[in-house]
Amino acid sequence: ILQVDLWQKGYRILNIDCSIRFNAFQLVDEALRRELPSDAMLRSIMIQRAFTPYQILDLFRSVLHREQRKRPGCLYFIFAPCKQFFDGDVQEEEAKFLLEKLASVLSLWNQEGIPYLIVETQSYKSKLFAQALSAFQSLTTFHWQLEKTKHSLILRDMRIHTNKSIESKE
């Protein structure tokens, strides 16, 4: 819903899908519900997938270099950036090192004024997750948590603990 709203306002959106779960059909459903041209929207809301921690880092660096060369840029939605780092194929020390690199690249995004929104789960089994989440939170001003109740969704501002109910479409 947010991406369709932003697209209607003229924003260019790039989804960085590290979870390999992005569903473009949800965008189409929302566009059709609003009687908007879904094909035009899908041509302008981009999706980039990254399957390994190294691809994620390369993608984040390429965004940095691309955005440094041209303005105005995109609004980036980053889905589950930690997921691939906690894959069984990535050793703990390697994951820790790479997550620190990822945080440093995001810090450079901040310096360049590159707008992004990180969407991440609340927990992983890895003990590194708390440290990674803390590093990401230190880079951002706003932290929101989406909680699902039986009949609605609650968006909680984690800085001041205020809530906003969101109508559930279930």
Side-chain angles (χ1 to χ4, degrees):
I1 294 171
L2 177 59
Q3 288 191 17
V4 174
D5 285 340
L6 292 168
W7 173 76
Q8 281 188 285
K9 291 179 170 122
Y11 285 88
R12 292 180 355 163
I13 298 168
L14 177 78
N15 292 288
I16 298 176
D17 181 14
C18 305
S19 65
I20 319 303
R21 291 187 185 149
F22 186 84
N23 185 348
F25 291 110
Q26 291 175 332
L27 291 173
V28 171
D29 289 345
E30 184 62 21
L32 293 174
R33 188 181 70 77
R34 297 180 189 203
E35 298 180 1
L36 297 171
S38 60
D39 53 338
M41 182 193 61
L42 286 177
R43 282 193 297 273
S44 61
I45 295 180
M46 298 167 286
I47 303 164
Q48 175 83 41
R49 290 204 160 121
F51 296 92
T52 70
Y54 292 98
Q55 288 177 346
I56 292 168
L57 280 169
D58 286 345
L59 177 56
F60 279 51
R61 286 185 187 122
S62 70
V63 165
L64 176 64
H65 296 302
R66 183 175 55 238
E67 291 289 334
Q68 287 173 324
R69 290 192 313 270
K70 68 174 190 167
R71 295 274 190 229
C74 292
L75 171 56
Y76 295 89
F77 282 76
I78 305 167
F79 296 101
C82 292
K83 182 179 186 289
Q84 300 304 328
F85 292 85
F86 303 138
D87 186 293
D89 295 336
V90 181
Q91 298 298 312
E92 188 174 299
E93 284 301 311
E94 181 183 23
K96 181 179 181 190
F97 174 77
L98 295 172
L99 283 165
E100 288 170 358
K101 289 286 186 195
L102 183 62
S104 76
V105 173
L106 280 174
S107 178
L108 294 172
W109 281 30
N110 286 354
Q111 291 174 19
E112 292 296 322
I114 300 170
Y116 63 92
L117 176 101
I118 296 174
V119 179
E120 187 57 87
T121 187
Q122 293 180 21
S123 66
Y124 285 100
K125 291 180 181 176
S126 173
K127 63 183 178 184
L128 296 174
F129 179 64
Q131 182 181 352
L133 189 60
S134 178
F136 294 154
Q137 288 176 338
S138 72
L139 295 170
T140 60
T141 305
F142 302 102
H143 310 124
W144 296 87
Q145 181 176 337
L146 187 63
E147 297 174 4
K148 188 174 183 177
T149 66
K150 187 173 182 176
H151 299 289
S152 66
L153 298 172
I154 308 264
L155 191 59
R156 184 181 313 278
D157 183 334
M158 299 308 291
R159 294 168 303 127
I160 54 178
H161 303 290
T162 58
N163 301 327
K164 178 179 181 180
S165 291
I166 301 171
E167 183 179 322
S168 180
K169 293 187 177 189
E170 297 180 279

